């Protein structure tokens, strides 16, 4: 490592000072937003219905109201969507979920708009609604064909297995609960141009869909993303609707319009993580090795396709988690229901897939009285032939065994296991348990096209630098990492590098910041741009030092030096000299991930660039009187390659883990029988609070873990740690079983494992 | 013409047009264009909007209290010192709590951060962090979706009680002291009245305007049936000093209706531990700073947390009106679902709570989906008296979340009377829950879960007595 490089060192978030002083601006607060009119979306209020009549004249003439727009007022295409265009910007003839926008009111204040909304009259003939996975299956209400992955004769292998475990598992929806709700601002410019500000992970898609909705070329629309107050996948596709609505409102009145949803609106209008319902049969041999795994899984896709096919794919790709499965058949389908369209959420189907095999292993261990950790470790991927994923990609160097053994020592597993046994023997109403959870997570967009990125780097004559890249900042620290990468590549101080807000006008045709790939892709693109700049600045510097123009130089410590360190010139002097010599100080960079392919018909291919690994030991205490539990101690060992910025990666691991805990234990999205979301705010929808975090959390980054072919030898970190939280479920199941001590008996635990669910699990076993 | 005048980060703000019922959060963002304070939920449950109110009147220097600005009426800001996230750093120099958060990596997306900063600002100026749970309580009202809380906890630990240099102290000491004189303001046709003395209150209540009495306003602001903006006149009790404070008598405590829950919690630690333990999980620090004892009773929620404690302790409610005062047993205060014995133009002035005697044992429990900052699925409070032969000679047992009102459990109590405080007795008592209650199921829990919880809490209380060997303290 070079002495002055900021790479592989801890840094605060690049906006941290702005965050703590209130100076960080989000879409709703930008200077451009200050004179904007306000948009209010009116939801349809019924889950499925035919629109008979909409009366808007009284609302239109209400005080402070500029316009009331309906579907018929959309200037361009009325339908949007990330894959299929099947989402109306405003409901037209048919309403397909209760929160669906049906009218847009634009006025001088939110209050005026709310008053006007009360004056709208809707006549909607209610139609039968499909409101669950079970109902969709019964009605054969699906999107597309099943996705099938298979290897060998699964029926025969199940037949000959020593132990056969059957089960079904429902994994719950999860609201993103980003602290900043969806927001957008649309400004009409001169000559038919548009400036859009969007709280979106995917400004290119916003640009594209706004252009489509307005019926103009994409060159007329620029979309900027200042920063997001959290996204977690919820703003990958679903921010676009609100940008389109702001744009049609602004187009109608010829003035800027901004929208920021209230929490209630956000939770009613936008979709959560896909609930999945799966049935499975798993066969194990006498050594506890998985012989066969047959899974049928159904995802509730909601009313529109959104990103569901990709999410279903990733779920199927992670049904193996960390375990080699010789014979298998995985089949998945997407259900079409009358609910908000479910969407991307950290893990993107991965957690839902992994939960199934973890459930199978838990049941196997419970039924046979085996130690669940040993069963897991025994089934890890390993040497050939145990190195082939279900989709036939080779798993080159599984770091699972190493993680398990190092973490077992870190976490003092042996001594704690005996302490727990002693504790449980002496405690009637509180039981403890310790469980291990491994994670293997495939990195890359499974859609090959998305694995590309661009960057634009400007060097100014004073030696300072602006970096533009296609990624967006949602709190994950991408901009911090990109600032570090750029400073490292040019050998200049971190403070001299400014990461600009994301803009489709700077870097076009970008990929969403998703799939944990933000720094992998954009880091490489920035490195590419910096390499071009070095190639141009090198000869200039060499000339200044009286050296040959093709001499190798070292960019280090804000200077450009000869490799023998005999001569050097300050970076800023070289920048000035380059300008004087009419050498370009601006470069684009580009990157496309190599070697990714997948044949969905055959269920075979190499959908991933590499795999990220992690492991966790989780200790819980469960109160048998109330069903409440506590996370006593969690030890995590995670493989992030050579961390670009370790402090940022630790933050991702810790935050991702607790978000997973929320999904599995306390976050319960409840809907009314007629399909409306009941839990519309934090008073009823409970994400983890500070007291739910583990009492003791120890995170270590795996050392000697550098990955070849990635930026700085690093690995993606956004999503993988989320799934470590599955260990909480295993631990809770063990704690439930500890109340009666019966072995060879399965635990029935519904997810999320709320106090009610846990108490029921304890009482069910008690009979 | 009257105007709302308050100090904001040391500068005077005067407002003479805005409606007094808009929230301080909306006023900061929409009217003043101060965007540092964030809206995450607008229902007091996420803490992104946290600001600090400085109370100069407190003995021993100013007291800072973190509150949810989404629950605070603009009118209530009159005469007060409000500090927001913009008011902490001096130029480029960060305040110690800001500096700690940056150093520990306490912000990721940054949207909850201003609220966290203000909670830690209060923490920095508190001097009572004598137990670890108090620090946990301090940050329980700030939801963060990014960090997993560890870095925030570390920063909090570092700054708690650090008493940093305070540039507002001087200002607070010679600024307008507290609510000041009686205050009356009208904006956009809505009246806000904040009398200074109880005798001035009755005139305000006697008018026929659509009138609402405002306590801590944590519920009033959220009332969907009667939105605050539709109320003709808001009558605030927060200026009436005689309604506030805890008087600890030897046999009986008098708790002023306008005592903030945080103050009651502090007071209860010595003398009424059962009440303190319930208040620990009552709500966030911000809510406890704003919400009041009287408000919690008058909102008459079936899951109000104080009610089971007061029922078990055998408290009385002192009601006041122009005609004078009357005292009624808490047993007769809740008359139906969200209904109380309050007559029109009558208020709760205080609650009288008998201090448990030597031979009485009490405990309180609250169970919800999430440990902190959640509404109870079931709450329970117990007080039993042990007679001369060691038998249970008195039992007051009350539940929240089991019926339309917080209620005593007469069959459970009757089962215990005269029996030994043994696990067998409590098992029999637990079985009696079904004769006392037919709970409903809702999104907080099914009917059967509620029943099971209530039974188990009786057993839990029984165990806690057994562990003491059946001895009162």
């Amino acid at each position: 490592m070079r002495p002055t490089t900021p790479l592989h060192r801890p840094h605060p978030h690049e906006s941290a000072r702005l965050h703590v002083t209130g100076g960080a601006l989000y879409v709703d607060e930008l200077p451009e937003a200050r004179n904007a009119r306000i948009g209010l979306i009116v939801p349809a209020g019924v889950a499925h219905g035919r629109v008979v009549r909409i009366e808007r004249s009284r609302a239109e003439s209400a005080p402070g109201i500029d316009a009331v727009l309906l579907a018929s007022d959309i200037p361009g295409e009325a339908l949007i969507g990330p894959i299929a265009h099947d989402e109306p910007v405003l409901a037209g003839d048919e309403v397909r979920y209760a929160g669906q926008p049906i009218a847009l009111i634009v006025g001088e204040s939110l209050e005026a708009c709310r008053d006007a909304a009360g004056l709208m009259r809707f006549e909607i003939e209610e139609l039968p609604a499909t409101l669950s996975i079970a109902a969709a299956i019964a009605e054969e209400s699906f999107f597309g064909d099943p996705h099938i992955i298979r290897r060998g004769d699964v029926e025969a292998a199940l037949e000959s297995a020593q132990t056969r475990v059957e089960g079904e598992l429902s994994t719950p929806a999860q609201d993103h609960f980003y602290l900043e709700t969806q927001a957008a601002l649309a400004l009409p410019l001169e000559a038919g141009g548009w400036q859009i500000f969007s709280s979106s992970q995917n400004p290119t898609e916003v640009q594209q869909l706004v252009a489509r909705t307005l019926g103009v070329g994409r060159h007329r629309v620029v979309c900027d993303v200042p920063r997001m107050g959290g996204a977690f996948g919820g703003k990958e596709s679903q921010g676009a609707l609100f940008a389109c609505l702001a744009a049609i409102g602004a187009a109608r009145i010829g003035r800027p319009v901004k929208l920021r949803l209230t929490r209630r609106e956000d939770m009613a209008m936008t979709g959560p993580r896909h609930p999945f319902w799966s049935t499975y049969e798993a066969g194990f041999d006498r050594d506890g090795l998985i012989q066969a795994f047959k899974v049928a899984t159904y995802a509730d896709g909601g009313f529109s396709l959104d990103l569901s096919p990709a999410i279903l794919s990733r779920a199927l790709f992670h049904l193996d988690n960390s375990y080699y499965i010789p014979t298998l058949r995985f089949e998945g389908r997407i259900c079409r229901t009358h609910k908000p369209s479910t969407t991307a959420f950290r893990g993107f189907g991965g957690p839902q897939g992994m939960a199934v095999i973890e459930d199978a292993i838990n049941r196997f261990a419970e039924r046979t009285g085996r130690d669940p950790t040993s069963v897991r470790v025994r089934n890890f991927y390993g040497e050939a032939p145990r190195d082939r994923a279900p989709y036939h990609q080779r798993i080159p160097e599984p770091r699972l065994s190493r993680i398990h053994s190092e973490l077992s020592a870190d976490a003092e597993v042996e001594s704690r296991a005996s302490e727990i046994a002693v504790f449980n023997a002496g405690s009637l109403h509180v039981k403890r348990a310790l469980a291990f959870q491994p994670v293997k997570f495939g990195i890359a967009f499974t859609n090959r096209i998305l694995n590309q990125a661009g960057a634009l780097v400007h060097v100014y004559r004073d030696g300072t630098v602006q970096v533009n890249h296609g990624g967006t900042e949602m709190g994950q620290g991408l901009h911090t990492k990109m600032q570090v990468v750029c400073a490292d590549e040019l050998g200049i101080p971190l403070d001299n590098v400014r990461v600009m807000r994301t803009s489709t006008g700077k870097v076009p045709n970008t990929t969403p910041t998703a799939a944990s790939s933000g720094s992998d892709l954009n880091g490489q693109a920035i490195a590419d741009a910096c390499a071009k700049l070095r190639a141009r600045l090198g000869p200039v510097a060499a000339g200044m030092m009286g050296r040959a123009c093709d001499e190798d130089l070292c960019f280090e410590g804000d200077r450009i030096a000869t490799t023998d360190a005999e001569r050097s010139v300050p970076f800023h002097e070289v920048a000035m000299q380059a300008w004087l010599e009419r050498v370009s100080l601006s470069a684009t960079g580009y990157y496309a991930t190599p070697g990714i392919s997948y044949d969905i018909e055959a269920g075979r291919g190499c959908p991933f660039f590499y795999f990220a690994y992690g492991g966790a030991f989780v200790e819980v205490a469960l109160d048998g009187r109330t069903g409440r539990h506590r996370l006593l101690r969690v030890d995590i060992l995670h493989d992030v390659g050579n961390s670009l910025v370790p402090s940022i990666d630790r933050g991702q691991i810790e935050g991702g883990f607790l978000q997973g805990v929320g999904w599995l234990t306390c976050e319960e999205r409840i809907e009314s029988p007629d399909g409306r979301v009941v839990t519309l705010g934090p008073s009823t929808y409970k994400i983890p609070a500070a007291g739910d975090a583990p009492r003791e959390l120890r995170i270590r980054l795996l050392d000697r873990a550098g990955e070849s072919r990635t930026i700085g030898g690093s690995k993606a970190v956004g999503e993988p740690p989320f799934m470590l939280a599955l260990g909480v479920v295993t631990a809770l199941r063990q704690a439930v079983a500890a109340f009666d001590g019966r072995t060879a008996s399965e635990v029935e635990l519904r997810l999320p494992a709320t106090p009610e669910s846990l108490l029921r699990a304890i009482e069910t076993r008690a009979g | 013409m009257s105007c709302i005048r308050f100090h904001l980060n040391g500068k005077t703000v005067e407002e003479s047009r805005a409606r007094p019922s808009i929230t301080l959060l909306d006023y900061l963002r929409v009217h003043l264009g101060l965007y540092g304070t964030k809206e995450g939920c607008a229902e007091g449950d996420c803490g992104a909007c946290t600001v600090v109110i400085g109370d100069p009147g407190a003995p021993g220097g100013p007291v800072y209290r973190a509150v949810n600005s989404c629950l605070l009426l603009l009118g209530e800001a009159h005469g007060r010192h409000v500090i927001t996230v913009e008011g902490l750093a001096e130029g480029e120099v960060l305040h110690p709590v800001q500096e700690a958060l940056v150093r520990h990596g306490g912000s990721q997306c940054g949207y909850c951060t201003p609220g966290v900063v203000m909670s830690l600002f209060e923490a920095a100026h508190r001097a009572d962090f004598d137990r670890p749970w108090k620090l946990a309580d301090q940050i329980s009202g700030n939801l963060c979706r990014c960090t997993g809380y560890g870095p925030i906890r570390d920063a909090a630990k570092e700054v708690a009680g650090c008493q940093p240099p305070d540039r507002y102290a001087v200002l607070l000491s010679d600024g307008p002291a507290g609510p000041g004189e009686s205050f009356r303001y009208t904006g956009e046709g809505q009246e806000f009245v904040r009398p200074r003395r109880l005798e001035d209150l009755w005139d305000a209540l006697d008018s026929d305007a659509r009138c609402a009495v405002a306590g801590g306003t944590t519920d009033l602001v959220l009332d969907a049936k009667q939105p605050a903006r539709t109320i003709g006149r808001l009558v605030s009790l927060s200026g009436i000093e005689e309604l506030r404070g805890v008087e600890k008598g030897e046999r009986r405590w008098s708790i002023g209706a306008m005592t903030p829950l945080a103050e009651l919690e502090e007071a209860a630690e010595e003398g009424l531990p059962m009440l303190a333990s319930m208040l620990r999980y009552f709500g966030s620090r911000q809510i406890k700073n704003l919400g009041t004892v009287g408000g919690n009773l008058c909102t008459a929620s079936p899951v109000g947390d104080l009610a089971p404690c007061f029922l078990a302790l055998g408290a009385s409610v002192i009601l006041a009106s122009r005609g004078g005062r009357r005292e009624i047993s808490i047993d007769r205060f809740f008359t139906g679902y969200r209904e109380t014995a309050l007559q029109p133009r009558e208020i709760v002035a205080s609650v009288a709570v008998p201090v448990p005697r030597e031979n009485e044992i009490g405990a309180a429990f609250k169970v919800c989906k999430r440990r902190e900052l959640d509404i109870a699925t079931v709450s329970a409070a117990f007080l039993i008296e042990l007679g001369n032969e060691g038998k249970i000679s008195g039992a007051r047992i009350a539940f929240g979340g089991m019926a339309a009102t917080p209620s005593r459990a007469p069959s459970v109590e009757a089962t215990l009377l005269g029996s030994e405080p043994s696990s067998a007795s409590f098992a029999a008592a637990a079985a009696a829950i079904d004769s006392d209650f037919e709970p409903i199921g809702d999104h907080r829990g099914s009917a059967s879960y509620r029943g099971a919880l209530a039974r188990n809490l009786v057993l839990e209380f029984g165990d806690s007595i057994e562990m003491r060997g059946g001895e009162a303290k």
Side-chain angles (χ1 to χ4, degrees), chain A residues 266-579:
Chain A
D266 194 297
M267 294 186 84
M269 287 177 189
T270 68
R273 177 187 296 282
H274 289 64
F276 273 60
W277 177 72
S278 311
T279 59
Y280 64 81
E281 291 171 70
F284 294 80
D285 71 7
R286 65 184 69 250
D287 297 323
L289 282 172
I290 302 169
Q291 295 302 301
F293 194 33
K294 181 182 166 193
V295 182
T297 191
Y298 295 87
D300 184 344
F303 86 100
S304 73
L305 192 64
D306 194 86
L307 299 163
S308 295
I311 289 161
L312 179 65
S313 295
R314 187 167 280 273
L316 297 178
F317 293 151
H318 288 83
L319 279 167
D320 61 337
N321 188 8
S322 303
Y323 317 113
Y324 173 66
I325 309 167
T327 316
L328 57 94
R329 188 180 190 282
F330 301 159
E331 175 173 351
R333 293 207 86 164
I334 304 157
C335 298
R336 184 199 291 264
T337 57
H338 293 104
K339 302 210 278 193
S341 199
T342 41
T343 193
F345 195 146
R346 204 173 203 165
F348 204 74
Q352 294 97 317
M354 280 186 204
V356 179
I357 194 158
E358 298 304 333
D359 194 65
I361 290 176
N362 284 337
R363 281 186 185 277
F364 171 70
E366 285 157 14
R367 190 192 296 182
T368 59
R370 286 168 195 257
D371 168 37
T373 300
S374 312
V375 177
R376 288 185 163 87
V377 171
R378 180 163 288 220
N379 278 287
F380 279 163
Y381 279 102
E383 303 287 309
R386 297 182 55 83
D387 66 343
R388 289 282 164 181
Y391 37 89
H392 295 266
Q393 180 167 355
R394 201 171 81 80
I395 313 290
E397 183 211 346
R399 293 169 172 173
L400 294 159
S401 299
R402 196 185 140 203
I403 285 173
H404 172 256
S405 58
E406 286 189 25
L407 187 61
S408 299
D410 288 358
E412 306 151 287
V413 167
E414 261 182 56
S415 60
R416 283 168 63 208
S418 19
E419 279 167 33
I420 288 168
V422 171
F423 174 89
N424 284 350
S427 168
L428 209 51
H429 300 299
V430 177
K431 298 290 183 186
R432 290 188 184 173
L434 176 65
F436 173 64
Q437 180 63 50
V439 162
K440 167 188 117 296
F441 194 75
I443 301 299
F445 284 99
T446 50
N447 178 353
R448 183 169 181 268
I449 305 160
L450 297 180
N451 296 289
Q452 58 171 315
L456 173 63
V457 179
H458 302 316
V459 178
Y460 292 90
R461 273 140 49 192
D462 63 353
T464 61
V465 170
Q466 281 186 357
V467 185
N468 301 272
H469 62 88
T472 54
E473 176 61 41
M474 60 198 89
Q476 84 280 43
L478 175 61
H479 283 1
T480 314
K481 287 183 172 178
M482 298 302 93
Q483 185 187 24
V484 164
V485 165
C486 182
D488 174 68
E489 291 284 332
L490 296 176
I492 58 176
L494 211 49
D495 279 350
N496 287 3
V497 179
R498 179 176 173 211
V499 182
M500 306 303 290
R501 71 182 177 202
T502 318
S503 173
T504 61
K506 292 283 187 64
V507 180
N509 305 313
T510 53
T511 287
T513 311
S516 307
S517 67
S519 41
D520 279 8
L521 295 173
N522 295 293
Q524 294 281 26
I526 290 167
D528 181 46
C530 290
K532 289 180 189 171
L533 289 165
R534 283 200 310 269
R536 290 185 211 150
L537 292 173
V540 175
M544 293 167 76
M545 295 184 286
R547 297 291 183 104
C549 69
D550 59 350
E551 182 170 326
D552 269 349
L553 296 174
C554 178
F555 287 63
E556 164 71 23
D558 210 15
R559 301 180 78 83
I560 302 176
T562 55
T563 44
D564 55 16
E566 251 175 37
R567 304 264 342 246
S568 72
V569 276
F571 184 83
H572 69 93
E573 285 182 19
V574 181
M576 174 60 89
Q577 185 63 30
W579 179 73

Side-chain angles (χ1 to χ4, degrees), chain A residues 17 26 629 667 687 756, chain B residues 92 109 145 370-371 446:
Chain A
R17 288 181 65 91
Y26 302 79
H629 77 274
E667 297 182 36
I687 69 167
E756 174 163 6
Chain B
E92 287 296 299
C109 85
R145 193 55 152 165
R370 186 174 68 196
R371 190 172 293 109
S446 66

Side-chain angles (χ1 to χ4, degrees), chain B residues 133-395:
Chain B
W133 67 261
K134 290 191 177 176
L135 196 56
D137 181 53
Q138 180 76 46
I139 56 172
S140 70
N142 291 93
L143 294 182
C144 168
R145 193 55 152 165
C146 296
T147 62
Y149 298 105
I152 294 172
R153 218 152 51 176
D154 292 343
K157 221 176 270 173
E158 187 181 304
V159 302
C162 75
Q163 309 296 335
D166 181 5
R167 65 189 159 111
Y168 292 111
V170 177
L171 189 77
L172 258 70
S173 62
D174 44 85
E181 284 314 295
S182 289
F183 172 60
R184 187 179 281 267
Y185 167 87
T186 305
E188 292 182 24
Q190 184 177 53
E191 251 186 299
F192 181 84
V193 185
R194 190 167 72 189
R196 187 83 172 111
R197 292 178 306 267
L198 204 50
E199 62 251 41
D200 302 329
L201 174 67
W202 314 124
D203 285 338
L205 292 180
D206 275 349
S207 87
D208 60 356
R210 290 160 304 139
C211 165
V213 176
T217 71
T218 56
D219 250 20
L220 184 138
V221 170
L222 303 178
D223 193 337
K225 283 201 194 105
Q226 188 186 27
R229 51 196 287 236
T230 64
I231 296 167
R233 170 187 291 172
L234 285 150
V235 182
S236 165
L237 305 181
S238 70
I240 305 173
E241 277 300 315
E242 61 197 281
L243 292 180
R244 180 168 172 162
V246 180
E247 274 175 47
K248 295 185 176 184
E250 207 165 294
R251 306 217 344 239
R252 198 162 119 132
W253 286 19
S254 172
I255 303 167
M258 285 299 289
T259 307
L261 298 161
E263 273 184 42
L264 177 59
E265 184 179 15
E266 286 156 30
E269 267 181 61
E270 293 295 324
L272 279 176
M274 142 183 186
L275 200 53
S277 75
M278 181 63 95
L279 282 161
R280 158 72 182 95
Y281 290 110
F282 183 100
S284 66
R285 178 75 182 171
Q286 291 95 316
I287 296 282
K288 287 189 278 195
N289 278 336
L290 212 49
T292 60
V293 173
N296 190 242
L297 290 183
C298 291
T299 194
S301 162
V303 286
D305 286 339
L306 285 183
C309 287
F310 286 153
L311 282 162
L313 288 164
S316 308
V317 185
I318 288 72
L319 308 176
S321 64
R322 190 189 286 280
R325 296 188 178 222
R326 63 188 177 117
E327 178 170 336
I328 65 166
S329 161
I330 184 87
D331 290 333
R332 292 190 293 117
F333 183 71
F334 302 108
T335 54
Y337 178 70
R338 290 199 170 263
E339 283 174 9
T340 69
L342 275 176
Q343 296 296 310
R345 292 182 289 280
E346 188 174 46
I347 63 158
V348 172
S350 62
V351 182
V353 182
V355 176
R357 291 185 300 273
E358 286 285 297
N359 60 340
E360 288 180 319
I361 305 173
F365 304 92
K366 174 177 174 178
V367 181
C368 22
K369 200 177 279 181
R370 186 174 68 196
R371 190 172 293 109
E372 293 172 332
L373 184 50
D374 198 359
I375 292 163
T377 307
V378 171
S379 54
F382 301 83
L383 190 74
I384 61 163
E385 181 193 59
L386 295 178
N388 287 337
E389 295 91 48
K391 292 200 169 141
I392 297 172
S393 52

